[in-house]
Amino acid sequence: MIGMKSMAVVSERGTVTIPNAVRKAARIRPGDLIEFKPQGDSVILRHMVVKGAGKEGSLSDSEWREFDKLVNKQLKEGAYKSYRDIKQAKSHSRRLMNGE
């Protein structure tokens, strides 16, 4: 949800509770993997979806690296894209890689 602003307090141990509205928007559930990526004076919080290697619809290591480059490029440009599933994300990333 673009434009959503929520705040949380960092505890003495460095823990933060992700606000409910953010968890719902990002479909974050207990036990999910979250990546924190410093970017200037901001931090990108990314919900990581882990799939078993070799399963249909999973990305190869090289596809993940290329996809990560594309996501970072989009973030720098202020462009955001949501996907319903990995198939749609892969299709979109391939179109971007092909310059479409």
Side-chain angles (χ1 to χ4, degrees):
M1 192 176 263
I2 297 174
M4 176 190 300
K5 291 186 180 183
S6 293
M7 295 190 306
V9 176
V10 180
S11 75
E12 288 183 30
R13 293 184 50 202
T15 59
V16 176
T17 300
I18 302 169
N20 191 43
V22 174
R23 289 193 318 267
K24 282 184 178 180
R27 297 185 186 116
I28 297 171
R29 296 190 176 34
D32 285 355
L33 181 63
I34 304 296
E35 176 185 44
F36 296 88
K37 184 174 182 178
Q39 190 166 7
D41 64 351
S42 299
V43 176
I44 303 295
L45 179 138
R46 187 166 24 180
H47 181 208
M48 306 299 291
V49 178
V50 179
K51 288 191 161 215
K55 290 186 179 178
E56 184 180 335
S58 64
L59 297 173
S60 68
D61 288 343
S62 62
E63 287 176 314
W64 273 118
R65 283 190 294 276
E66 191 64 29
F67 191 71
D68 192 49
K69 287 179 192 175
L70 292 168
V71 168
N72 287 322
K73 180 182 176 201
Q74 287 178 328
L75 290 172
K76 286 179 185 175
E77 295 171 353
Y80 301 90
K81 177 78 176 155
S82 297
Y83 306 105
R84 289 184 308 274
D85 54 38
I86 196 70
K87 184 177 179 181
Q88 183 187 33
K90 285 175 75 171
S91 173
H92 181 243
S93 65
R94 285 192 178 106
R95 287 194 312 272
L96 288 175
M97 286 186 272
N98 292 331
E100 297 176 27

